[in-house]
Amino acid sequence: MDQPLYKKIYLDLERDIALGKYLPGSQLPTEKELSDFYQVSRITSKRALAELEQSGFIYRTRGKGSFVANKQDKAPKKANRILFLLPFLNDLSVGNFTEGLSPIMQDNQIDIMMTTLDYLHQKNADEIIEEFDGLIYYAQNTDSFLDLFAELSLKGFPVILLDKKIYDLPFPVVISDNIGGGYAATKFLIHQGHERIAYLFGEEIHPQSVRQRYLGYIQAIKEAKFSFHTPIDEKRANNQSLLEYVKDQHITALVCENDITAIMSMKLLKEAGYAIPEDISVIGFDDIQAASLVDPPLTTIAQNFKKLGQIAGGHLIQWIEKNERPSDVQIPVNLIERHSTKEISK
């Protein structure tokens, strides 16, 4: 069986180091010099150097090159490039994680490639490991790409999850307190005097985070000893029967799975003649930019996207450079009161 090209470069350099051709502290040929000499791609020569670094033979300094390590003290691995995967770029329903992520990566001179989940259809685990030092993954569906992420896990590749936990794989997650957020939104409406409070879903498939918000809603409803609550899968913002449901069940307030769902429901209700918040209060989740711009401005549960991005980036660097797998982190949320909610008259 033919030897992989990167392996030949690796073994040649390993031999030259062992024979003293390259002494501790001396610089090795660059990726470009190796690719020209061996007539291979830069990716192949980069992988050979990455494998030598992983084995402790060399250390790499950003902007300077690769150097032979002293045998007695292995140089720590330095993160150079990470992959950040989102369901969709510029998606209004996904907050701005880069506000917190970009500064920490710039401070550590680490490049970020931010792209969509479609990228995973084009790459296998070995190619990702070859091109990147670690990965931050905002999953749209925790069942997607399980085979690829299982392989990354088996190979010890650092992956930090955002927003959703994949319970079958040992990757740490940085996540908002969704249960606490659903609870806080519902409790706020209860304090305003509302008793007929419905939970409104936006999609037929309920992501893990949305289910957790619903559980927080249920907890607050049960604590208040209300007999009414919305059964899961009952009503959605894009469903015309929402209007009938609000009327038939005498709903006075809606807790919506996210701000997009809340904004859609307000539009539907206003078109049907409801005044917000005089006839019905509406509360969202996420505090996206549009939440403060709609009429009336939306009361919402704010996720700290800056903090989420900052913690995810810091934990990934810690894992890569210190070989310390971080623990899960839950970031608190807070309620932003605007004008889509009001106390109910009794």
Side-chain angles (χ1 to χ4, degrees):
M1 187 174 180
D2 291 341
Q3 186 182 77
L5 292 172
Y6 84 89
K7 198 69 176 177
K8 174 170 175 47
I9 302 172
Y10 174 98
L11 292 173
D12 285 354
L13 290 173
E14 181 188 29
R15 181 199 63 220
D16 290 344
I17 291 170
L19 293 173
K21 180 177 178 181
Y22 298 108
L23 297 174
S26 63
Q27 187 171 5
L28 293 179
T30 65
E31 291 173 13
K32 184 177 187 310
E33 288 169 342
L34 289 170
S35 65
D36 289 345
F37 181 80
Y38 285 94
Q39 293 296 293
V40 296
S41 69
R42 285 280 291 272
I43 290 176
T44 301
S45 61
K46 180 179 180 179
R47 180 171 181 182
L49 292 171
E51 296 273 345
L52 282 167
E53 182 181 29
Q54 192 74 28
S55 301
F57 289 107
I58 68 170
Y59 62 93
R60 305 175 78 187
T61 302
R62 186 178 181 83
K64 294 184 178 179
S66 303
F67 301 85
V68 178
N70 288 314
K71 291 182 180 178
Q72 56 269 33
D73 43 56
K74 277 189 182 181
K77 180 175 174 59
K78 175 71 174 74
N80 292 305
R81 192 169 189 237
I82 69 152
L83 178 62
F84 183 23
L85 292 170
L86 289 163
F88 307 100
L89 295 181
N90 304 316
D91 185 353
L92 283 177
S93 67
V94 177
N96 182 14
F97 297 103
T98 58
E99 188 181 359
L101 178 62
S102 293
I104 194 169
M105 292 302 163
Q106 288 169 3
D107 289 346
N108 287 272
Q109 297 184 308
I110 298 170
D111 292 331
I112 311 172
M113 175 178 165
M114 187 168 70
T115 187
T116 68
L117 303 186
D118 288 340
Y119 184 82
L120 298 179
H121 291 294
Q122 307 162 22
K123 299 289 181 177
N124 59 39
D126 285 336
E127 289 171 326
I128 290 172
I129 292 169
E130 188 174 290
E131 294 180 37
F132 301 96
D133 300 304
L135 189 160
I136 297 174
Y137 177 45
Y138 185 108
Q140 186 174 23
N141 183 335
T142 54
D143 293 331
S144 300
F145 307 107
L146 274 179
D147 53 345
L148 186 149
F149 281 96
E151 188 173 354
L152 290 175
S153 173
L154 290 170
K155 294 186 175 186
F157 187 71
V159 176
I160 302 288
L161 304 175
L162 274 175
D163 190 63
K164 302 172 189 69
K165 177 90 175 156
I166 302 178
Y167 288 99
D168 301 313
L169 296 173
F171 295 133
V173 64
V174 180
I175 193 169
S176 292
D177 181 8
N178 288 297
I179 292 178
Y183 178 87
T186 311
K187 202 75 174 174
F188 173 76
L189 293 170
I190 291 170
H191 286 158
Q192 288 192 320
H194 296 275
E195 295 183 7
R196 307 291 290 184
I197 305 168
Y199 188 94
L200 191 61
F201 294 94
E203 303 288 344
E204 290 190 24
I205 298 172
H206 309 310
Q208 185 184 105
S209 52
V210 169
R211 293 198 304 272
Q212 290 173 342
R213 295 168 195 175
Y214 177 71
L215 291 175
Y217 157 82
I218 291 293
Q219 181 183 345
I221 291 292
K222 294 303 180 183
E223 280 184 10
K225 298 183 178 177
F226 292 167
S227 58
F228 171 81
H229 73 272
T230 309
I232 196 164
D233 292 329
E234 183 62 43
K235 290 291 164 268
R236 302 189 182 93
N238 58 357
N239 192 332
Q240 198 66 27
S241 65
L242 169 66
L243 299 174
E244 297 173 13
Y245 190 77
V246 167
K247 181 179 179 182
D248 293 345
Q249 298 295 330
H250 309 289
I251 303 300
T252 65
L254 294 174
V255 176
C256 300
E257 73 165 49
N258 56 36
D259 289 345
I260 297 293
T261 301
I263 292 167
M264 289 172 61
S265 71
M266 288 200 301
K267 181 176 183 294
L268 184 62
L269 289 162
K270 287 196 293 185
E271 287 173 351
Y274 286 87
I276 298 169
E278 290 76 16
D279 297 329
I280 186 166
S281 289
V282 179
I283 188 166
F285 203 112
D286 287 336
D287 194 28
I288 62 173
Q289 185 177 4
S292 63
L293 303 177
V294 292
D295 181 25
L298 180 66
T299 297
T300 186
I301 300 293
Q303 295 193 67
N304 191 338
F305 292 108
K306 180 178 180 179
K307 189 73 172 178
L308 288 162
Q310 184 182 55
I311 295 292
H315 278 198
L316 186 60
I317 294 170
Q318 171 189 318
W319 189 354
I320 294 167
E321 299 189 352
K322 298 183 179 179
N323 199 28
E324 297 175 1
R325 185 192 299 264
S327 302
D328 293 349
V329 177
Q330 184 170 267
I331 306 298
V333 296
N334 65 292
L335 185 137
I336 307 293
E337 183 178 358
R338 296 195 180 104
H339 302 296
S340 65
T341 51
K342 71 184 294 279
E343 290 189 10
I344 193 169
S345 302
K346 293 198 175 182

